[in-house]
Amino acid sequence: ISELDKNSELSRDWFGRRYLPGFIGLNNLDRTDGINAMVQALAHVKPLRNFFLRQSHRNLYVEISKRKKRKKNLHDKDKKNKAPQRLSNLVLAFGELIRKIWSNRRLKHSVDPQRLVQEISVASQKRFGARRAEMGEQLAWFLHQLHVGLGGTSKRSSIVHEIFQGDISVTTRSRKVIESDKKQEDTDDRLGSDDEEDEDVDERNKTENPHATIIEEKTVDTRYLQLTLEIPEKPLFKDDDGGLVIPQEPLVNVLRKFDGVTFSDALNGSTRRYKLKRLPPYLILHLQRFTSNRYTREKNPTIVAFPVKNFDLSSYVEKKREQPPPPTKAEIEQMSVSELKKTLQKYNHDDLGRNVVEKDELITIVTDFCVKSLPDLLAHKYNLVANITHASNDNNRGEGDPLEDGSYKCHVQHQSQWYEMQDLHVQETMPQLIGLSESYVLIFERKGGKLS
């Protein structure tokens, strides 16, 4: 499994046709191109892929993680461990499909996702499955179903939350109406004084403005699996030949919603401000292209320009207290074995030195980590892993349902080569063309791994 990303050798199916494991097509079962694109994107998220590749069709149960041990009381009875939980049919179908996609012993150089499509249709009560749906809603629902199907709850984590979950602070600003019906006590009731005139003024003000408003702010810390971004609407223009000129918008402008300063409109006339507190190892950005009302659905075709490598999100993350700089090479060489392991554990990479015995080898690992990976981790830099797009049908632009008339495709990378995957069609593409597509869902991977 660890050598999959380095493999460039083509395999042969039983008919002698060559294919690259992990980059094979999926059959379209009547408008299931959205599910195919979603599966192709998730199949190239390394931790999620490796988790299901280590499973087999015999693994039907998942062990429930134990809670932190507490001091035993002599009067407490020993409690039995919780029984393993059975994996949901959706999880089993998804795991089977992942193993088929990455298998180097295929009967055919394509895969049929019929079982997964059926389980999605059953679990969603036909909301998703055999119909084309909005990718942001479908992906959010699917990740939640994987989390629950793997034994996860709001308090118990799973591989899905370990990969995609981040922390965010939401400040809601709303107007609250207060009735101003308090009467002032009379302090002087003598005739000829100014109290009678003041009382008349107060009564007149009450009738003109019987209610007063105040602004309330409430901040709540919560978690997220994906960030939804609204694309600003821009007018379309025609060029000299009569064709439409699609406007562009940089991703940094769309991300202003999460800069921790800007307030955006919310429900009930309130406004909200978002500030990212922690970024996950894999960040999902959902570009909201469709808006619906009771009668029609419209699509925003604006192209969002984004970097494929070294996407810096440092300015969007809440800055913690100033931490000491990473250790230098000279300081690492002077550390003991326990100090070296504590250095890896501090940055949530203790697995690198878990089975290392020799001190010299451990020094090499820590030095390599602090010099190459740690600067990118601290800078919150990300590289693109997968890009799901929704291509519109130019012949029906402006007529009918743009969601149903269009189609989904996915871009994924192997080593330095990018591939465009749409159902059974898999072909090479250039990274410059990825940024010019109508991106819908972007999946970024943190450079250097994960940071606690």
Side-chain angles (χ1 to χ4, degrees), residues 60-64 83-88 148-153 156:
L60 302 179
Y61 295 89
V62 61
E63 294 289 340
I64 302 299
Q85 178 176 330
R86 193 182 191 281
L87 299 175
S88 66
V148 175
L150 289 168
T153 61
R156 188 187 307 125

Side-chain angles (χ1 to χ4, degrees), residues 3 212 236 335 413:
E3 301 295 326
L236 300 178
M335 292 182 180
Q413 184 183 21

Side-chain angles (χ1 to χ4, degrees), residues 121-147:
S121 179
V122 172
S124 65
Q125 299 181 353
K126 296 184 179 181
R127 179 185 176 188
F128 308 109
R131 59 187 294 267
R132 192 173 286 115
E134 294 190 22
M135 182 56 63
E137 298 179 1
Q138 179 176 280
L139 181 59
W141 175 88
F142 186 75
L143 291 178
H144 177 70
Q145 292 298 317
L146 287 182
H147 170 69

Side-chain angles (χ1 to χ4, degrees), residues 45-60:
V45 176
K46 297 176 186 178
L48 188 66
R49 175 200 68 187
N50 296 345
F51 174 83
F52 284 102
L53 289 181
R54 293 189 181 99
Q55 307 293 323
S56 69
H57 64 280
R58 296 186 180 89
N59 298 120
L60 302 179

Side-chain angles (χ1 to χ4, degrees), residues 62-67 82-85 146-162 165 223:
V62 61
E63 294 289 340
I64 302 299
S65 59
K66 299 179 180 179
R67 295 184 178 179
K82 290 186 178 181
Q85 178 176 330
L146 287 182
H147 170 69
V148 175
L150 289 168
T153 61
S154 58
K155 298 181 179 180
R156 188 187 307 125
S157 183
S158 69
I159 185 65
V160 176
H161 281 191
E162 292 175 5
Q165 190 178 74
R223 296 174 179 146

Side-chain angles (χ1 to χ4, degrees), residues 264-313:
S264 56
D265 295 335
L267 299 176
N268 301 326
S270 60
T271 58
R272 288 183 179 179
R273 180 181 62 196
Y274 303 90
K275 185 63 177 179
L276 302 177
K277 302 187 66 176
R278 183 181 65 87
L279 292 175
Y282 285 78
L283 177 65
I284 301 178
L285 299 181
H286 165 219
L287 304 177
Q288 193 171 9
R289 291 195 172 274
F290 294 95
T291 56
S292 304
N293 53 37
R294 296 178 58 183
Y295 306 102
T296 60
R297 180 188 282 123
E298 297 180 353
K299 178 183 178 181
N300 187 344
T302 303
I303 295 177
V304 179
F306 56 88
V308 177
K309 290 186 177 181
N310 297 322
F311 182 33
D312 192 356
L313 293 170

